[in-house]
Amino acid sequence: MRNLAHKPERAGSPDNPETFDAAKLANAATAALRAYDPGHDLPALRARFGAQIAELGSNENPLGPSPFALDAMRAALPESFRYPDPRGASLKAALARHLGVAEDRIALGNGSHELLILLAQCFADPAHSVVFSQYGFAVFPIATAVAGAQPIRVPALPREHASAPFGHDLDAIAAAIRADTRLVYLANPNNPTGTWFGDIELERFVARVPENVLVVVDEAYCEYVDVAGLTSALRLAHRHPNLIVTRTFSKAYALAGLRIGYLLAHPSVVAVLERLRESFNVNNVALAGAEAALTDHGHLDRAREFNTGERTWLADALAKRGYACLPSQTNFLLVDLGRDAAELERHLFERGVIVRPMGGYGLAQTLRISVGSRAENQRLLDALP
Ligand SMILES: *Cc1c(COP(=O)(O)O)cnc(C)c1O
């Protein structure tokens, strides 16, 4: 063995921990990325503010999970010494019944985030381009970068747009598709704008997309939708095998901490994803919790009704105070201040009200505020200057 202790040091050598920097060794895709910014150290803030904190930064469901899910998770815990079912067969069967789709059209993920990344890893190369909207969900550019593919970021609709300010411009997105495009990512409704497009607009869009371009529609908030004319991209799937729908248990089902989501796609898409999917990507407690949550229709209905009522109430109260919100079909509001939002964000933060600044999206004049419990929302209103 070499005697490392007596080797002369060289700058930048791995033998010198002072100058060693693995960032220089990161592959091209990773070199272009930054680590996730959680906004704030929430565990530290909980310790500081206790129950006085209003956590309105992560679009979590303030009603919490279904008691059916909690019971199923407790029952699953003693089995955690075993590996989970790598196929997630029982949950897939339940989802298939729930949605009226065949089981071989379902893939399960460690959150839908994992599936969005996996799609790019399995289908896009550096020779391909990937198309998404300017203010589309933050994971879309990351997935593109992971695959080393070329991002095509399509300008959003203008702030003045009547129904979808800052929303997806489907005409421009269709026009941006090139011969080398392999994937299009859409979010409907979208995070962080809260905006949406209707079934008919999507139908018209998909009809314009060649079959060798996969269209991914991220429906993380679909259970909250209460507007006419928007159901799900799923209703077009039988006619368009290149259409992929992603869903999650993190939002309306209130299981964000479990990390479980799913996608619905042509069986051949699912089969390709299965080649790269980590065999045990969804843990046994999450599988059990999600399956039980699906059976609790009342709980989901209450979440939807509470969200619609509370979102309307909060948007009205904010408007009365001079804070304009974009239209939303989600469980959050994008507040547009018309001036830099950093000062207001800090003001709220100092009063234990956590909201999400949007500078990272290029929307520095806005704040994303989740619809919390009535007590949390009231705390927000009380903390406003
Ligand atoms: C929250 C969210 C998700 C869900 O991510 P998970 O990994 O399933 O928790 C997906 N897409 C959008 C647009 C979201 O806002």
Side-chain angles (χ1 to χ4, degrees):
M1 246 174 101
R2 291 190 304 159
N3 185 347
L4 297 175
H6 295 292
K7 257 189 104 208
E9 288 186 357
R10 264 175 290 118
S13 140
D15 296 336
N16 183 345
E18 297 300 315
T19 58
F20 177 70
D21 183 7
K24 297 192 191 96
L25 309 178
N27 63 23
T30 313
L33 294 172
R34 276 175 301 161
Y36 175 70
D37 176 5
H40 295 290
D41 181 352
L42 287 168
L45 288 172
R46 286 176 199 132
R48 180 178 150 200
F49 288 105
Q52 284 316 301
I53 195 172
E55 294 193 38
L56 305 176
S58 297
N59 303 342
E60 294 145 347
N61 177 349
L63 301 190
S66 154
F68 296 6
L70 292 174
D71 285 346
M73 290 191 277
R74 275 187 211 102
L77 277 176
E79 291 303 312
S80 297
F81 73 100
R82 296 197 189 282
Y83 281 99
D85 173 10
R87 295 199 165 84
S90 184
L91 175 59
K92 278 191 193 170
L95 280 167
R97 279 194 305 276
H98 183 72
L99 300 164
V101 302
E103 289 172 37
D104 62 359
R105 290 180 169 267
I106 304 172
L108 303 177
N110 193 265
S112 53
H113 184 137
E114 182 190 36
L115 295 168
L116 294 168
I117 302 276
L118 190 60
L119 282 162
Q121 286 178 313
C122 288
F123 289 102
D125 274 322
H128 295 136
S129 60
V130 176
V131 179
F132 48 85
S133 180
Q134 182 178 8
Y135 304 126
F137 186 44
V139 172
F140 304 162
I142 297 171
T144 307
V146 166
Q150 301 302 310
I152 299 181
R153 199 161 158 267
V154 178
L157 292 169
R159 172 69 182 90
E160 302 72 38
H161 192 271
S163 57
F166 299 142
H168 288 28
D169 184 342
L170 290 182
D171 285 335
I173 291 172
I177 293 171
R178 306 190 306 219
D180 66 2
T181 299
R182 184 51 66 78
L183 276 166
V184 177
Y185 284 109
L186 310 173
N188 196 32
N190 182 48
N191 174 14
T193 57
T195 53
W196 68 99
F197 45 85
D199 294 340
I200 293 171
E201 290 164 271
L202 178 66
E203 192 165 351
R204 230 180 277 140
F205 171 82
V206 179
R208 291 174 68 181
V209 180
E211 202 175 88
N212 63 348
V213 176
L214 300 176
V215 177
V216 182
V217 185
D218 176 345
E219 296 188 349
Y221 298 95
C222 69
E223 297 89 357
Y224 282 124
V225 168
D226 54 39
V227 75
L230 172 53
T231 56
S232 169
L234 213 46
R235 55 188 276 289
L236 303 174
H238 62 286
R239 264 186 288 146
H240 297 283
N242 56 330
L243 196 56
I244 298 164
V245 176
T246 65
R247 301 263 182 97
T248 182
F249 285 94
S250 297
K251 302 288 156 62
Y253 287 101
L255 298 174
L258 285 186
R259 311 305 306 127
I260 178 162
Y262 59 96
L263 68 71
L264 307 157
H266 190 270
S268 66
V269 170
V270 171
V272 169
L273 297 176
E274 285 298 317
R275 298 178 193 173
L276 196 60
R277 182 182 65 84
E278 195 259 299
S279 330
F280 305 106
N281 61 333
V282 182
N283 70 73
N284 68 314
V285 178
L287 289 169
E291 185 175 341
L294 275 184
T295 66
D296 196 344
H297 304 286
H299 194 75
L300 188 66
D301 288 344
R302 280 190 292 280
R304 185 189 295 113
E305 277 162 35
F306 172 80
N307 185 65
T308 299
E310 196 67 13
R311 184 182 65 213
T312 308
W313 179 83
L314 182 58
D316 287 350
L318 285 166
K320 281 198 195 100
R321 304 281 299 269
Y323 297 94
C325 301
L326 268 59
S328 170
Q329 277 293 304
T330 63
N331 66 342
F332 61 83
L333 292 165
L334 192 70
V335 179
D336 187 2
L337 296 183
R339 60 185 150 80
D340 192 87
E343 196 184 327
L344 177 60
E345 197 266 331
R346 211 174 314 115
H347 176 95
L348 294 172
F349 172 73
E350 278 157 11
R351 286 154 184 80
V353 177
I354 314 301
V355 301
R356 201 54 164 257
M358 290 284 121
Y361 274 92
L363 288 167
Q365 305 202 330
T366 70
L367 291 176
R368 196 191 65 197
I369 303 180
S370 308
V371 176
S373 65
R374 173 55 65 93
E376 287 177 305
N377 300 332
Q378 192 60 60
R379 226 171 287 150
L380 161 74
L381 295 170
D382 293 346
L384 285 171

